[in-house]
Amino acid sequence: MRKKMEKIDRYMAFRRLPDSVQTRVRQFYEFQWNRSKGFEESDLLEELPISLRMEILISINRKSLTQITWLSPDMEGITLVDELCAVLVPAVVPQYEYLFVKGQRGSEMVILVKGVVRIIMDKGRRRTAKDGAALGDTSILFGIRHKTTAFTRTYCDLFLLSKSSLEEIVNRQGQEKMDSLRVKALEEVKKRDPGEYRELMDLLDAEDVAPNAVSGGGEKSPKQSRPDSVGSGAGRLRRTSSAFSNEEDVRLAHIDDPSNMKK
Protein backbone atom coordinates (compact mmCIF):
# COMPACT_ATOMS: atom_id res chain seq x y z
CA MET A 1 0.00 0.00 0.00
CA ARG A 2 2.79 2.43 0.94
CA LYS A 3 4.67 1.89 -2.35
CA LYS A 4 1.48 2.31 -4.33
CA MET A 5 0.59 5.55 -2.55
CA GLU A 6 4.10 6.90 -3.10
CA LYS A 7 3.70 6.22 -6.82
CA ILE A 8 0.28 7.91 -6.86
CA ASP A 9 1.65 10.91 -4.95
CA ARG A 10 4.47 11.29 -7.49
CA TYR A 11 1.97 11.14 -10.33
CA MET A 12 -0.30 13.79 -8.75
CA ALA A 13 2.66 16.07 -8.09
CA PHE A 14 3.83 15.62 -11.69
CA ARG A 15 0.38 16.58 -12.96
CA ARG A 16 0.13 19.42 -10.42
CA LEU A 17 -3.33 18.37 -9.34
CA PRO A 18 -5.19 20.65 -6.91
CA ASP A 19 -4.76 19.82 -3.22
CA SER A 20 -8.48 19.08 -2.88
CA VAL A 21 -8.30 16.50 -5.70
CA GLN A 22 -5.18 14.91 -4.22
CA THR A 23 -6.93 14.56 -0.86
CA ARG A 24 -9.92 12.83 -2.43
CA VAL A 25 -7.67 10.45 -4.37
CA ARG A 26 -5.82 9.48 -1.18
CA GLN A 27 -9.12 8.98 0.67
CA PHE A 28 -10.37 6.73 -2.10
CA TYR A 29 -7.32 4.46 -2.01
CA GLU A 30 -7.37 4.36 1.78
CA PHE A 31 -11.00 3.22 1.66
CA GLN A 32 -10.17 0.62 -0.97
CA TRP A 33 -7.31 -0.72 1.15
CA ASN A 34 -9.42 -0.96 4.31
CA ARG A 35 -12.11 -2.72 2.29
CA SER A 36 -9.98 -5.36 0.56
CA LYS A 37 -6.62 -5.34 2.43
CA GLY A 38 -4.86 -5.23 -0.92
CA PHE A 39 -6.45 -8.37 -2.43
CA GLU A 40 -7.48 -8.22 -6.09
CA GLU A 41 -10.49 -10.46 -5.60
CA SER A 42 -11.44 -10.76 -9.26
CA ASP A 43 -7.96 -12.01 -10.17
CA LEU A 44 -7.99 -14.60 -7.39
CA LEU A 45 -11.43 -15.91 -8.36
CA GLU A 46 -10.56 -16.07 -12.05
CA GLU A 47 -7.98 -18.79 -11.34
CA LEU A 48 -10.51 -21.10 -9.66
CA PRO A 49 -12.75 -23.75 -11.28
CA ILE A 50 -16.24 -22.45 -12.07
CA SER A 51 -17.95 -24.65 -9.47
CA LEU A 52 -15.65 -23.48 -6.66
CA ARG A 53 -15.88 -19.87 -7.82
CA MET A 54 -19.68 -20.11 -7.67
CA GLU A 55 -19.58 -21.44 -4.10
CA ILE A 56 -17.40 -18.51 -3.03
CA LEU A 57 -19.59 -15.92 -4.79
CA ILE A 58 -22.74 -17.35 -3.23
CA SER A 59 -21.08 -17.30 0.19
CA ILE A 60 -20.01 -13.67 -0.25
CA ASN A 61 -23.05 -12.20 -2.01
CA ARG A 62 -26.10 -14.16 -0.86
CA LYS A 63 -26.68 -12.14 2.31
CA SER A 64 -26.96 -8.91 0.34
CA LEU A 65 -29.48 -10.37 -2.11
CA THR A 66 -31.66 -12.04 0.50
CA GLN A 67 -32.19 -8.64 2.14
CA ILE A 68 -34.15 -7.58 -0.96
CA THR A 69 -37.77 -8.23 -0.03
CA TRP A 70 -39.06 -9.01 -3.51
CA LEU A 71 -36.50 -11.83 -3.80
CA SER A 72 -37.31 -13.32 -0.38
CA PRO A 73 -39.42 -16.36 -1.48
CA ASP A 74 -36.39 -17.82 -3.29
CA MET A 75 -34.27 -18.83 -0.34
CA GLU A 76 -33.68 -22.57 -0.39
CA GLY A 77 -31.35 -24.75 -2.45
CA ILE A 78 -30.11 -23.71 -5.93
CA THR A 79 -32.32 -20.70 -6.46
CA LEU A 80 -32.72 -17.51 -8.40
CA VAL A 81 -30.75 -15.74 -5.68
CA ASP A 82 -27.82 -18.12 -6.09
CA GLU A 83 -27.69 -17.48 -9.84
CA LEU A 84 -27.79 -13.73 -9.31
CA CYS A 85 -24.85 -13.99 -6.90
CA ALA A 86 -22.60 -14.85 -9.83
CA VAL A 87 -23.40 -11.67 -11.78
CA LEU A 88 -23.15 -9.02 -9.04
CA VAL A 89 -20.40 -6.48 -9.72
CA PRO A 90 -18.69 -4.90 -6.68
CA ALA A 91 -18.05 -1.15 -6.73
CA VAL A 92 -16.75 1.57 -4.42
CA VAL A 93 -18.17 5.08 -4.82
CA PRO A 94 -16.77 8.16 -3.04
CA GLN A 95 -18.78 10.65 -1.02
CA TYR A 96 -21.14 12.99 -2.89
CA GLU A 97 -21.32 11.16 -6.20
CA TYR A 98 -24.46 10.45 -8.18
CA LEU A 99 -25.65 6.85 -8.35
CA PHE A 100 -28.52 7.80 -10.66
CA VAL A 101 -30.53 10.87 -11.57
CA LYS A 102 -34.26 11.41 -11.90
CA GLY A 103 -35.34 11.01 -15.52
CA GLN A 104 -32.41 8.76 -16.43
CA ARG A 105 -33.38 5.34 -17.77
CA GLY A 106 -31.68 2.79 -15.55
CA SER A 107 -29.41 0.02 -16.77
CA GLU A 108 -28.66 -1.40 -13.31
CA MET A 109 -29.80 -1.47 -9.71
CA VAL A 110 -27.61 -0.71 -6.72
CA ILE A 111 -27.37 -2.84 -3.57
CA LEU A 112 -25.91 -0.81 -0.73
CA VAL A 113 -23.56 -3.06 1.26
CA LYS A 114 -22.08 -0.37 3.49
CA GLY A 115 -22.56 3.37 3.60
CA VAL A 116 -25.27 6.04 3.46
CA VAL A 117 -27.14 7.20 0.36
CA ARG A 118 -29.51 10.17 0.14
CA ILE A 119 -32.63 9.84 -2.01
CA ILE A 120 -34.22 13.05 -3.35
CA MET A 121 -37.89 12.67 -4.29
CA ASP A 122 -40.54 15.00 -5.68
CA LYS A 123 -41.44 18.21 -3.86
CA GLY A 124 -38.13 18.27 -2.01
CA ARG A 125 -38.88 15.16 0.02
CA ARG A 126 -35.79 13.18 1.03
CA ARG A 127 -35.04 9.87 2.68
CA THR A 128 -31.87 8.07 3.70
CA ALA A 129 -30.90 4.59 2.51
CA LYS A 130 -28.54 2.55 4.62
CA ASP A 131 -26.86 -0.87 4.58
CA GLY A 132 -28.85 -3.52 2.72
CA ALA A 133 -31.03 -1.14 0.69
CA ALA A 134 -31.87 -1.86 -2.95
CA LEU A 135 -31.85 1.30 -5.07
CA GLY A 136 -33.13 1.75 -8.61
CA ASP A 137 -34.78 -1.67 -8.57
CA THR A 138 -38.15 -0.49 -9.89
CA SER A 139 -36.42 1.19 -12.83
CA ILE A 140 -34.83 -2.04 -14.09
CA LEU A 141 -37.83 -4.22 -13.18
CA PHE A 142 -40.29 -2.12 -15.14
CA GLY A 143 -38.00 -0.54 -17.76
CA ILE A 144 -38.93 2.99 -16.67
CA ARG A 145 -36.94 6.12 -15.94
CA HIS A 146 -35.68 6.75 -12.42
CA LYS A 147 -38.28 8.64 -10.39
CA THR A 148 -35.72 9.88 -7.84
CA THR A 149 -32.12 11.08 -7.64
CA ALA A 150 -29.64 9.25 -5.41
CA PHE A 151 -26.21 10.37 -4.25
CA THR A 152 -23.71 9.06 -1.72
CA ARG A 153 -23.45 10.79 1.66
CA THR A 154 -20.43 8.70 2.67
CA TYR A 155 -18.02 6.40 0.90
CA CYS A 156 -20.17 3.47 -0.19
CA ASP A 157 -19.46 -0.20 -0.78
CA LEU A 158 -21.93 -1.45 -3.41
CA PHE A 159 -23.00 -4.32 -5.58
CA LEU A 160 -24.37 -3.56 -9.05
CA LEU A 161 -26.92 -5.81 -10.76
CA SER A 162 -27.48 -5.02 -14.42
CA LYS A 163 -30.92 -5.03 -16.01
CA SER A 164 -29.73 -7.41 -18.72
CA SER A 165 -28.33 -9.93 -16.21
CA LEU A 166 -31.51 -9.87 -14.12
CA GLU A 167 -33.73 -10.36 -17.15
CA GLU A 168 -31.58 -13.15 -18.59
CA ILE A 169 -31.62 -15.15 -15.35
CA VAL A 170 -35.24 -14.53 -14.37
CA ASN A 171 -36.62 -15.18 -17.86
CA ARG A 172 -35.21 -18.70 -17.79
CA GLN A 173 -37.99 -19.38 -15.30
CA GLY A 174 -40.65 -17.84 -17.55
CA GLN A 175 -42.49 -14.53 -17.82
CA GLU A 176 -44.62 -15.47 -14.81
CA LYS A 177 -41.55 -15.24 -12.58
CA MET A 178 -40.73 -11.72 -13.73
CA ASP A 179 -44.36 -10.69 -13.24
CA SER A 180 -44.29 -12.09 -9.71
CA LEU A 181 -41.14 -10.12 -8.83
CA ARG A 182 -42.68 -6.92 -10.17
CA VAL A 183 -45.82 -7.34 -8.10
CA LYS A 184 -43.77 -8.03 -4.96
CA ALA A 185 -41.63 -4.94 -5.63
CA LEU A 186 -44.74 -2.78 -5.92
CA GLU A 187 -46.07 -4.17 -2.65
CA GLU A 188 -42.79 -3.31 -0.94
CA VAL A 189 -42.88 0.29 -2.21
CA LYS A 190 -46.50 0.67 -1.07
CA LYS A 191 -45.63 -0.65 2.38
CA ARG A 192 -42.58 1.62 2.71
CA ASP A 193 -44.13 4.87 1.47
CA PRO A 194 -47.71 5.18 0.11
CA GLY A 195 -46.84 8.56 -1.44
CA GLU A 196 -43.90 7.07 -3.32
CA TYR A 197 -46.15 4.19 -4.41
CA ARG A 198 -48.70 6.61 -5.92
CA GLU A 199 -45.93 8.46 -7.74
CA LEU A 200 -44.61 5.17 -9.12
CA MET A 201 -48.05 4.08 -10.32
CA ASP A 202 -48.52 7.45 -12.05
CA LEU A 203 -45.16 6.99 -13.74
CA LEU A 204 -46.05 3.46 -14.87
CA ASP A 205 -49.27 4.81 -16.38
CA ALA A 206 -47.41 7.68 -18.08
CA GLU A 207 -44.83 5.33 -19.61
CA ASP A 208 -47.52 2.88 -20.71
CA VAL A 209 -45.97 -0.08 -18.88
CA ALA A 210 -47.59 -3.42 -19.61
CA PRO A 211 -50.59 -4.57 -17.54
CA ASN A 212 -48.78 -7.81 -16.73
CA ALA A 213 -45.87 -5.81 -15.29
CA VAL A 214 -48.17 -4.43 -12.63
CA SER A 215 -50.99 -6.87 -12.07
CA GLY A 216 -49.92 -10.13 -13.64
CA GLY A 217 -52.33 -10.00 -16.59
CA GLY A 218 -52.13 -9.10 -20.27
CA GLU A 219 -49.45 -9.53 -22.89
CA LYS A 220 -48.22 -6.02 -23.65
CA SER A 221 -44.50 -5.27 -23.16
CA PRO A 222 -42.98 -2.15 -21.60
CA LYS A 223 -41.63 0.56 -23.87
CA GLN A 224 -37.93 0.09 -24.49
CA SER A 225 -35.28 2.79 -24.77
CA ARG A 226 -31.52 2.94 -24.98
CA PRO A 227 -30.04 3.28 -21.44
CA ASP A 228 -28.39 6.60 -20.58
CA SER A 229 -25.50 4.93 -18.76
CA VAL A 230 -23.37 2.16 -20.24
CA GLY A 231 -20.11 0.41 -19.48
CA SER A 232 -18.96 -2.13 -16.89
CA GLY A 233 -18.64 -2.20 -13.13
CA ALA A 234 -18.50 1.11 -11.34
CA GLY A 235 -18.11 2.87 -14.69
CA ARG A 236 -21.77 2.26 -15.45
CA LEU A 237 -22.74 4.69 -12.71
CA ARG A 238 -23.59 8.13 -14.02
CA ARG A 239 -20.61 10.45 -13.83
CA THR A 240 -20.40 14.25 -13.95
CA SER A 241 -17.40 16.58 -13.95
CA SER A 242 -18.42 17.47 -10.42
CA ALA A 243 -20.49 15.52 -7.95
CA PHE A 244 -23.19 18.21 -8.20
CA SER A 245 -23.91 19.90 -11.50
CA ASN A 246 -26.54 22.51 -10.69
CA GLU A 247 -27.58 24.91 -7.97
CA GLU A 248 -30.49 22.78 -6.77
CA ASP A 249 -28.20 19.81 -6.16
CA VAL A 250 -25.79 21.98 -4.18
CA ARG A 251 -28.63 23.46 -2.13
CA LEU A 252 -29.97 20.03 -1.20
CA ALA A 253 -26.52 18.73 -0.28
CA HIS A 254 -25.91 21.83 1.84
CA ILE A 255 -29.14 21.16 3.73
CA ASP A 256 -28.00 17.60 4.38
CA ASP A 257 -24.56 18.39 5.76
CA PRO A 258 -22.72 21.61 4.88
CA SER A 259 -19.53 20.46 6.59
CA ASN A 260 -19.17 17.58 4.13
CA MET A 261 -19.59 19.52 0.91
CA LYS A 262 -16.73 19.27 -1.59
CA LYS A 263 -14.73 22.44 -1.86
Side-chain angles (χ1 to χ4, degrees):
M1 175 64 173
R2 185 179 64 190
K3 291 182 179 180
K4 184 172 186 177
M5 289 308 304
E6 288 174 352
K7 184 177 180 180
I8 293 168
D9 284 339
R10 289 197 302 271
Y11 168 79
M12 293 191 294
F14 171 71
R15 290 299 183 184
R16 298 180 181 178
L17 298 179
D19 290 344
S20 60
V21 174
Q22 294 190 36
T23 298
R24 286 161 50 201
V25 169
R26 292 189 190 98
Q27 289 174 342
F28 175 80
Y29 278 104
E30 286 172 5
F31 184 87
Q32 281 274 48
W33 174 263
N34 291 331
R35 174 179 176 267
S36 65
K37 301 304 179 186
F39 290 110
E40 293 294 340
E41 192 170 46
S42 59
D43 293 341
L44 294 174
L45 292 175
E46 190 67 28
E47 298 174 357
L48 297 173
I50 293 177
S51 58
L52 188 54
R53 190 189 318 160
M54 277 293 298
E55 286 187 45
I56 293 173
L57 290 172
I58 290 171
S59 176
I60 294 171
N61 300 342
R62 203 172 202 270
K63 181 180 178 181
S64 296
L65 282 174
T66 54
Q67 291 177 318
I68 301 173
T69 307
W70 47 267
L71 285 174
S72 59
D74 294 283
M75 294 296 183
E76 304 299 330
I78 303 300
T79 66
L80 171 64
V81 168
D82 292 335
E83 289 192 70
L84 291 174
C85 285
V87 296
L88 292 183
V89 178
V92 173
V93 181
Q95 184 184 41
Y96 288 125
E97 293 284 349
Y98 283 120
L99 298 181
F100 50 80
V101 176
K102 181 180 178 180
Q104 176 188 13
R105 195 173 290 277
S107 60
E108 63 201 354
M109 65 176 281
V110 175
I111 302 170
L112 181 57
V113 179
K114 185 177 181 180
V116 178
V117 171
R118 200 67 160 162
I119 311 296
I120 306 174
M121 299 176 281
D122 284 344
K123 300 178 181 178
R125 293 187 299 126
R126 298 184 299 281
R127 65 181 176 88
T128 299
K130 298 184 179 181
D131 299 1
L135 310 172
D137 49 347
T138 53
S139 180
I140 69 167
L141 278 171
F142 296 101
I144 59 175
R145 298 181 186 276
H146 287 294
K147 63 188 189 311
T148 60
T149 292
F151 66 88
T152 57
R153 287 273 276 103
T154 65
Y155 267 78
C156 289
D157 198 354
L158 313 171
F159 282 125
L160 308 178
L161 175 60
S162 71
K163 182 176 184 289
S164 58
S165 293
L166 176 66
E167 289 177 344
E168 179 182 354
I169 291 172
V170 173
N171 286 338
R172 292 176 196 157
Q173 302 186 26
Q175 182 61 44
E176 296 80 7
K177 185 62 181 177
M178 181 63 81
D179 293 343
S180 174
L181 294 179
R182 287 166 170 162
V183 170
K184 289 182 176 70
L186 282 175
E187 291 172 349
E188 173 62 19
V189 173
K190 186 175 183 179
K191 180 180 178 182
R192 180 181 67 219
D193 186 333
E196 184 180 354
Y197 172 77
R198 288 191 294 271
E199 292 170 5
L200 175 57
M201 294 303 293
D202 289 343
L203 184 58
L204 293 176
D205 289 340
E207 297 220 6
D208 195 24
V209 170
N212 64 330
V214 178
S215 62
E219 297 297 332
K220 190 178 177 184
S221 297
K223 290 180 180 178
Q224 297 297 320
S225 177
R226 184 176 179 271
D228 293 333
S229 56
V230 295
S232 62
R236 287 198 299 259
L237 298 173
R238 184 180 186 273
R239 288 286 179 251
T240 59
S241 57
S242 174
F244 299 97
S245 58
N246 60 55
E247 292 180 2
E248 178 66 7
D249 293 330
V250 173
R251 185 185 69 81
L252 288 168
H254 183 78
I255 290 171
D256 275 343
D257 189 352
S259 67
N260 284 331
M261 277 296 296
K262 288 181 181 178
K263 303 298 183 185

